[in-house]
Amino acid sequence: MKIALFATCIVDAMYPRVALATANILERLGHEVIFPEGQACCSQMHVNSGYLKDALPVVRNHVSAFSKADYDIAVAPSGSCVASLRHQQPMVANKNGDRKLAERAADIAGNTYELSQFLRDIEGITNAAEQLGSYFPHTVTYHPSCHGMRLLRLGSRQPDLLETVGGINVVELPDKEECCGFGGTFSIKDPGVSGAMGEQKVRNIESTGAEMCTGGDASCLMHIGGILHRQGSTTRTLHLAEILASTRDNPWNPDTADELSIPQEAK
């Protein structure tokens, strides 16, 4: 298939290695990956703050970018952003009286999958080690993002894939379903509450003894990782796509993990 990568704005701007890891996984499965030009924000931060009129041009931009591209399916490394496409973009268009845009937004959203959705529901991946070659010999705990869990209803797709990665040791995160406190613009409007929630999440993460915390949303991992860093913790955060992309031949390397590098098999 020809797959359009919806990188999301936070991944594109701050964690491009997550987009590269996603593309690597898709190409490993034999797909052609394209990057629709002009893609940007999904409009989630506008909608969640109540700015529906300001969200309209953002929705139009996304629909335009993906309407111009030639692809079969779109994939994104973010449950939060895919949830926004499916549940918010058509609503924004309808609220602003643009029914045609709402219909087109719904069509594009219906053909856009979060990475674990695509791997489990479309590709039928049930064993990451055997079917993807994923290998990650580290102790990891998993944080499910609120939008992925509650709005997109990813269920156990992400942790099920994580459990089947070769060499991995997955430890249960206490109160894992509790929000990390990021909440997009919530962390800006209510930094005290957001920070307190994040600190509780970090205490739970560190109680597991895990080397790192993973999840499917870069925004949550940024919030958690920032708190860990400020507290001088040796625990770090890593996106699920990066774990799935790690193999025996091209393992994740903590010394170069923050560099923008493309695994050899993706070159």
Side-chain angles (χ1 to χ4, degrees):
M1 284 191 291
K2 183 182 287 189
I3 298 178
L5 176 62
F6 173 36
T8 78
C9 55
I10 192 168
V11 166
D12 185 46
M14 300 184 69
Y15 301 99
R17 64 180 188 270
V18 174
L20 288 171
T22 302
N24 172 249
I25 293 165
L26 298 176
E27 290 178 345
R28 193 182 300 169
L29 290 168
H31 302 295
E32 177 186 355
V33 180
I34 66 165
F35 187 86
E37 295 183 6
Q39 62 172 287
C41 182
C42 65
S43 78
Q44 182 177 173
M45 64 180 181
H46 306 73
V47 177
N48 291 352
S49 299
Y51 298 107
L52 300 189
K53 189 169 292 186
D54 295 304
L56 185 61
V58 183
V59 174
R60 282 185 176 142
N61 179 76
H62 185 84
V63 169
S64 174
F66 282 80
S67 292
K68 292 175 182 176
D70 176 25
Y71 65 95
D72 300 303
I73 279 177
V75 173
S78 169
S80 180
C81 294
V82 174
S84 178
L85 298 189
R86 294 191 181 184
H87 297 275
Q88 294 180 336
Q89 285 202 352
M91 179 270 290
V92 167
N94 278 320
K95 288 284 188 181
N96 283 283
D98 195 333
R99 189 168 299 175
K100 189 173 182 179
L101 177 65
E103 292 174 354
R104 187 67 189 124
D107 288 342
I108 290 172
N111 200 36
T112 303
Y113 296 82
E114 182 272 336
L115 178 60
S116 71
Q117 278 185 320
F118 173 77
L119 294 175
R120 290 295 302 273
D121 302 353
I122 305 299
E123 286 290 333
I125 303 296
T126 57
N127 190 307
E130 293 182 2
Q131 295 169 280
L132 294 176
S134 305
Y135 179 72
F136 197 78
H138 301 277
T139 300
V140 177
T141 194
Y142 165 76
H143 164 70
S145 68
C146 292
H147 279 89
M149 177 173 57
R150 298 184 173 93
L151 194 57
L152 195 57
R153 299 188 183 279
L154 290 176
S156 64
R157 290 177 180 85
Q158 291 180 350
D160 284 351
L161 285 168
L162 189 66
E163 290 277 1
T164 63
V165 170
I168 201 168
N169 176 31
V170 181
V171 290
E172 187 77 6
L173 177 63
D175 298 325
K176 63 183 179 182
E177 295 182 353
E178 295 294 323
C179 178
C180 72
F182 177 64
T185 53
F186 170 76
S187 62
I188 299 173
K189 293 179 178 179
D190 295 283
V193 177
S194 173
M197 294 172 71
E199 288 170 1
Q200 179 59 55
K201 177 65 69 172
V202 163
R203 283 193 290 272
N204 288 336
I205 290 169
E206 293 195 308
S207 74
T208 67
E211 297 171 61
M212 60 198 73
C213 174
T214 192
D217 276 281
S219 52
C220 297
L221 297 175
M222 176 183 69
H223 181 62
I224 294 169
I227 295 172
L228 286 165
H229 179 73
R230 287 194 297 274
Q231 293 184 354
S233 175
T234 57
T235 307
R236 61 186 300 160
T237 56
L238 194 68
H239 195 283
L240 176 64
E242 297 177 87
I243 293 177
L244 295 177
S246 177
T247 65
R248 287 182 182 273
D249 292 336
N250 284 286
W252 175 80
N253 185 343
D255 296 326
T256 59
D258 294 325
E259 298 177 5
L260 184 56
S261 59
I262 303 175
Q264 290 296 319
E265 62 264 31
K267 290 183 178 180

